DNA sequence: TCTCTTGACAATAATCATTATAAACTGATA
DNA sequence: TATCAGTTTATAATGATTATTGTCAAGAGA
């Protein structure tokens, strides 16, 4: 996910897809398929769920999108594709991007097992959900998480 | 999961449950609910799927079992409860226990976000699935993974 | 232009893991 | 014996995702 201009080559940029791409562009809220559907559906009321899943599949296949499964309930999607970890609030489901100290290697790995990739997921409670106290941090966090742009 | 003798206190050790516990005891294969059902069902043909899920829920609630979601298709269960990471073969679905160098802390975490837990998952290809070459390691790995006991 | 091919679309239907519901059962205890 | 919590089976429901089908539009040749 870097561009809204046609990726071409077997990928036809239809109006529906353009809208999905626009929604995803720089989006840090890690939306689920359902959230994407809801938002795009407002502009294209005729659009079906299948179109969302198809488009997401296309993007995943082209490496322009990450599917993250930190949320036990459903897949969430992240247009920010460089390797990074995630942190999810177990109360409201908000997900933030985080990093890990260094590249991880498994210890005690069986000989001959070739490691291809690694997922790191943190769970916790975001400021907004930690009682009604930390109101200032909470607001900042919510804005950063529930909203769109990542510069 | 440390014992087959009654955990008591709101946990009734019925024959079905005893059988599930016996199957889980020291099991390193990280079985899914369906696998547990299949195996236990051989001994108790009348047993329903709900009983498996109920029992697993009980054990999870008592902290005697871990639910791991490294497998995108279904939950897998691990009676080895101390903190550790997992490594899954993307081809055959086998899962091994591994460790990570040190305790992880997220970098770039939003202020005020309290971290509660962490999951680390590795994906790769096990020796048995990496071509038909590494036969010796493969056999060892398969025995270690597909079979039961952890001493 | 005409036709062919290739995605894409909407509309369903199908799958599949998991959860929920309801009713019957069991054993311990009052 | 009556009660009661916890368990069980049977069954239905949920909910995310995938598959299927028929239609359509755009570009590539002929």
């Amino acid at each position: 996910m870097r561009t809204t201009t046609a990726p071409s080559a077997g990928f036809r940029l239809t109006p529906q897809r353009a809208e999905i791409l626009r929604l995803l562009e720089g989006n840090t809220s890690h939306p689920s398929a359902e959230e994407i559907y809801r938002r795009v559906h407002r502009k294209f009321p005729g659009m079906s769920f299948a179109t969302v899943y198809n488009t997401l599949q296309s993007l995943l296949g082209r490496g322009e999108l990450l599917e993250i499964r930190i949320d036990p309930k459903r897949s969430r999607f992240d247009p920010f594709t460089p390797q990074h970890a995630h942190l999810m609030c177990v109360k409201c489901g908000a997900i933030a991007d985080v990093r890990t100290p260094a590249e991880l290697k498994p210890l005690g790995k069986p000989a001959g097992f070739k490691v291809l990739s690694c997922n790191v997921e943190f769970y916790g409670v975001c400021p907004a959900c930690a009682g009604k106290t930390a109101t200032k941090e909470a607001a900042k966090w919510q804005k950063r998480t529930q909203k769109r742009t990542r510069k």
Side-chain angles (χ1 to χ4, degrees), chain A:
Chain A
M1 165 83 13
R2 198 76 309 174
T3 171
T4 308
T5 65
S8 73
F11 187 91
R12 193 176 299 162
L13 191 60
T14 66
Q16 293 92 334
R17 290 186 165 190
E19 189 61 26
I20 292 176
L21 285 169
R22 194 172 323 137
L23 170 64
L24 250 20
E25 177 94 35
N27 189 315
T28 61
S29 74
H30 306 84
S32 64
E34 200 259 343
E35 281 156 1
I36 294 168
Y37 171 75
R38 274 210 316 269
R39 308 261 315 250
V40 178
H41 191 263
R42 290 210 279 266
K43 214 159 215 162
F44 295 90
M47 181 209 242
S48 78
F49 234 119
T51 296
V52 173
Y53 276 109
N54 286 339
T55 303
L56 294 177
Q57 274 314 118
S58 287
L59 294 172
L60 290 173
R62 324 182 103 247
E64 302 180 29
L65 187 65
L66 289 183
E67 177 175 12
I68 64 184
R69 268 185 301 269
I70 192 176
D71 184 343
K73 289 305 181 189
R74 65 197 109 260
S75 281
R76 314 264 299 242
F77 297 91
D78 190 346
F80 182 62
T81 54
Q83 165 75 26
H84 62 291
H86 293 101
L87 168 55
M88 171 173 158
C89 173
V90 296
K91 297 208 172 167
C92 67
I95 296 175
D97 293 330
V98 292
R99 284 165 291 119
T100 50
E103 202 202 345
L104 287 190
K105 292 241 167 59
L107 298 178
K109 169 179 79 65
F113 205 126
K114 182 162 36 153
V115 177
L116 300 173
S117 65
C118 172
N119 274 344
V120 179
E121 311 167 339
F122 296 95
Y123 294 90
V125 180
C126 75
C129 291
K132 302 308 155 198
T133 24
T135 337
K136 197 168 299 174
E137 285 299 349
K140 200 189 301 179
W141 159 250
Q142 278 200 314
K143 186 186 286 182
R144 175 171 163 190
T145 304
Q146 317 291 1
K147 285 303 175 191
R148 73 211 101 266
T149 26
R150 162 165 34 205
K151 73 245 114 272

